[in-house]
Amino acid sequence: MAASHRLPAAIRAPFEARTWRAFGYVLIGLPLSILWFALSVSFVSAGAGLLITFLGVPILAGALAMCRGFGAVERARARGLLGLDVAAPEPVRGRTGGAFSWMGAMLKSGASWRHLLYAFLHMPWAVFSFSVTVALYAWGWSLFTYPLWQWVFPTWVGQDGIQLYGDATHSFYLDAPFEIAVTSLIGLVFVLIGPWVLRGLVSVDRLLVSGLLGPSRLASRVTELESDRGVVVDTAAADLRRIERDLHDGAQARLAALAMDLGLAKEKLVQDPQAAAVLVDEAHGEVKLALQELRDLARGIHPAVLTDRGLDAALSAVASRCAVPVSVDVDLPARPVPAIEGIAYFTVSELLQNVTRHSRARRAWVDVWRTENRLMLQVRDDGVGGASTEGGGSGLAGLSERVGAVDGVLAVDSPAGGPTTVTVELPWRA
C-alpha cells in the first residue's frame, strides 16, 4: 500500500476503491431515482387532485411519508458508497398521537417536502450523471484496451477494425499499428480523467443528499442547544458538588474543631488558665485557616475582584498566584456581560493551572482582546507541549465542553517539545 501511494494521484484514481464505489453509486442511482420519481409524481398528483375531497389528505400525507422512506434509502446509499453520513431529519409527531394529528404534522413538516423535492430534482440529474459516466467509462476502457480486442473485427465482423469513416466509395478503419496505438492513448486519457469527472458529478449528489435529506438548520440548532444545556447543567451540578465537598472537608471540619477547642478552653479557663490559653491560641489558628479556605472557596465561585474591577485585575491576580511567571495583556473596549466574563476568567484560571501542573514551562503569556463580535483569549507557554483535548487528564476536554456550551471554541496548538498555545473564542456581549 505504501508503494502505491508513491504513484501520482492521477494514475491511482482509476483503480482506487473510492472511484469504483462512486461508479456503483451512479449506476444504482438511475433506476432508483426513476422509481422514486414515478411513485412520488403518481401519489402526489393523485393526492393533490383529490384534495377537494377528504381522500386527498391521507393520500398526500402517505406520499410524503413514502418520500421520507426513499430518503432513508438514499442516506444509507450515500453512507455506504460515498462515505457521507447525513443524520435523519426530525421525526414527525402529531400533538395528540391520532391519525388526523399525524397527517397534519406530516403536511406541515418541511423535511417531508424537502424529501419530495429531492425525488423531483434527483431524477433528471441521475439521468445526466449516469449518461456521462457510462459513456466516459465505456469509451475510455474500450479504447484503452483496443489493442487487446482489435482481432475481433477481422475474425468475426468482417472488417479490419473500428470504422472511423465510411461512405459508398471510401472507408477508414483503425487497423494499422500506429492507429491502434493512438486509439489506445486516447482511451488512456479518458480513463485518467474519468474518475475526476465522476467525483465532480457525485459531489452534486452529496449536496442534494446533505441539503434536502438531512435535518433542517433549525432542528440541528435545537439539538445543539439541548446538548449545550445538558453540558451546562452537568457543569453546574459538578460545581455544586465540588463546593459542598470543599465546605464539608475543609471549612466545616475546621469550624467543628474550633468549636471543640473553644469548649475545652472554656472548661479549663478557671482550673488551668495556661492550658486554656494554648487551646485559644490553637483555635485562633484554626479560625485563620478556616477564613483562608472560605476566601479561596469564594474566589473559586466568583472572585470579588472580577465583579469590582473586571478581567484585567482578576487575571492579574490569578497570574500573581501562578508558580510560573505570567505576563497578562488585556485590551478590551468595555466589559462583557458577567456570564461571559466569568467563563473567560475561569477558563484562563484553568489553563494557567495546567501550565503549572503539566507544562514544565519557564514562562507563560495571557492575551485578551476583542475581534468584532468575539472575545478572544490566548494562553501561551514555553513548556514541553503535548497538550490535547483528546483526554490526557489535563482537563482540556471538559474545558472545551464548557466553552462550547456558550457557542465558544477552544483550539489547542501544542506540538511535542512545545510551545503550547491555547486559543479560546467566546461570544461578545457587552
Side-chain angles (χ1 to χ4, degrees):
M1 183 64 67
S4 66
H5 283 287
R6 297 192 185 100
L7 297 174
I11 298 177
R12 296 197 317 266
F15 308 100
E16 288 180 334
R18 169 188 174 184
T19 300
W20 291 104
R21 286 196 300 267
F23 186 73
Y25 181 88
V26 172
L27 292 184
I28 299 172
L30 179 62
L32 288 179
S33 65
I34 293 175
L35 178 63
W36 304 156
F37 181 84
L39 291 176
S40 300
V41 169
S42 301
F43 279 91
V44 171
S45 299
L50 293 173
L51 279 178
I52 58 175
T53 68
F54 175 75
L55 292 176
V57 175
I59 293 176
L60 191 57
L64 294 177
M66 177 183 65
C67 290
R68 291 176 72 100
F70 298 159
V73 175
E74 289 295 295
R75 287 191 300 272
R77 195 163 66 91
R79 187 181 305 112
L81 295 176
L82 300 182
L84 176 64
D85 192 4
V86 177
E90 60 277 12
V92 175
R93 296 188 181 93
R95 292 184 178 180
T96 62
F100 292 104
S101 178
W102 175 83
M103 286 187 289
M106 181 64 70
L107 294 175
K108 294 178 182 178
S109 171
S112 302
W113 290 102
R114 290 200 307 274
H115 281 65
L116 176 62
L117 180 62
Y118 176 87
F120 288 166
L121 294 179
H122 190 259
M123 195 278 290
W125 173 252
V127 172
F128 174 78
S129 60
F130 180 91
S131 303
V132 172
T133 301
V134 170
L136 192 59
Y137 269 70
W139 278 102
W141 285 101
S142 61
L143 294 179
F144 177 54
T145 59
Y146 182 55
L148 302 178
W149 57 274
Q150 187 270 340
W151 60 270
V152 171
F153 288 94
T155 304
W156 300 101
V157 183
Q159 63 185 43
D160 296 332
I162 297 176
Q163 185 177 7
L164 191 63
Y165 169 78
D167 56 21
T169 58
H170 299 86
S171 59
F172 182 79
Y173 298 96
L174 301 174
D175 56 350
F178 176 74
E179 296 165 353
I180 293 174
V182 171
T183 302
S184 181
L185 288 176
I186 294 174
L188 177 61
V189 172
F190 285 156
V191 168
L192 294 179
I193 68 174
W196 306 103
V197 175
L198 176 60
R199 292 177 186 181
L201 294 173
V202 298
S203 66
V204 178
D205 290 272
R206 289 172 172 270
L207 292 175
L208 289 173
V209 172
S210 59
L212 297 177
L213 301 184
S216 64
R217 291 185 178 181
L218 178 60
S220 301
R221 182 59 176 163
V222 169
T223 302
E224 181 183 351
L225 290 176
E226 288 177 347
S227 176
D228 291 343
R229 182 182 64 182
V231 172
V232 171
V233 171
D234 293 342
T235 301
D239 289 340
L240 288 175
R241 288 193 299 270
R242 176 182 60 82
I243 293 171
E244 181 182 7
R245 183 181 63 251
D246 292 343
L247 284 173
H248 182 271
D249 297 340
Q252 182 178 346
R254 293 193 180 280
L255 291 175
L258 172 63
M260 295 177 61
D261 289 343
L262 290 177
L264 292 174
K266 182 179 178 180
E267 293 178 358
K268 296 180 176 292
L269 185 60
V270 177
Q271 301 175 356
D272 191 353
Q274 291 184 346
V278 171
L279 290 174
V280 171
D281 185 62
E282 292 177 355
H284 183 255
E286 291 291 334
V287 169
K288 290 182 178 179
L289 291 175
L291 287 174
Q292 182 61 41
E293 290 183 356
L294 288 174
R295 289 193 193 98
D296 294 339
L297 183 60
R299 188 182 296 115
I301 297 173
H302 195 86
V305 65
L306 178 63
T307 302
D308 297 337
R309 301 174 57 189
L311 273 175
D312 194 355
L315 294 181
S316 298
V318 173
S320 66
R321 297 193 299 270
C322 188
V324 177
V326 180
S327 299
V328 178
D329 182 13
V330 178
D331 182 13
L332 295 177
R335 294 182 61 175
V337 295
I340 298 299
E341 193 175 54
I343 292 174
Y345 171 81
F346 289 111
T347 299
V348 174
S349 299
E350 181 70 21
L351 291 174
L352 289 179
Q353 289 182 20
N354 286 344
V355 170
T356 302
R357 296 171 183 172
H358 307 290
S359 71
R360 287 182 281 173
R362 295 188 300 272
R363 190 164 185 81
W365 297 264
V366 175
D367 297 301
V368 182
W369 72 97
R370 177 189 173 185
T371 301
E372 296 181 354
N373 61 341
R374 306 294 282 180
L375 174 62
M376 307 295 296
L377 315 172
Q378 191 172 81
V379 177
R380 297 173 289 130
D381 67 73
D382 58 358
V384 297
S388 173
T389 56
E390 305 287 333
S394 65
L396 288 177
L399 197 59
S400 179
E401 291 182 354
R402 293 192 182 194
V403 170
V406 292
D407 287 341
V409 179
L410 185 144
V412 179
D413 180 17
S414 182
T420 296
T421 301
V422 180
T423 305
V424 180
E425 292 186 19
L426 294 172
W428 173 270
R429 292 191 289 272

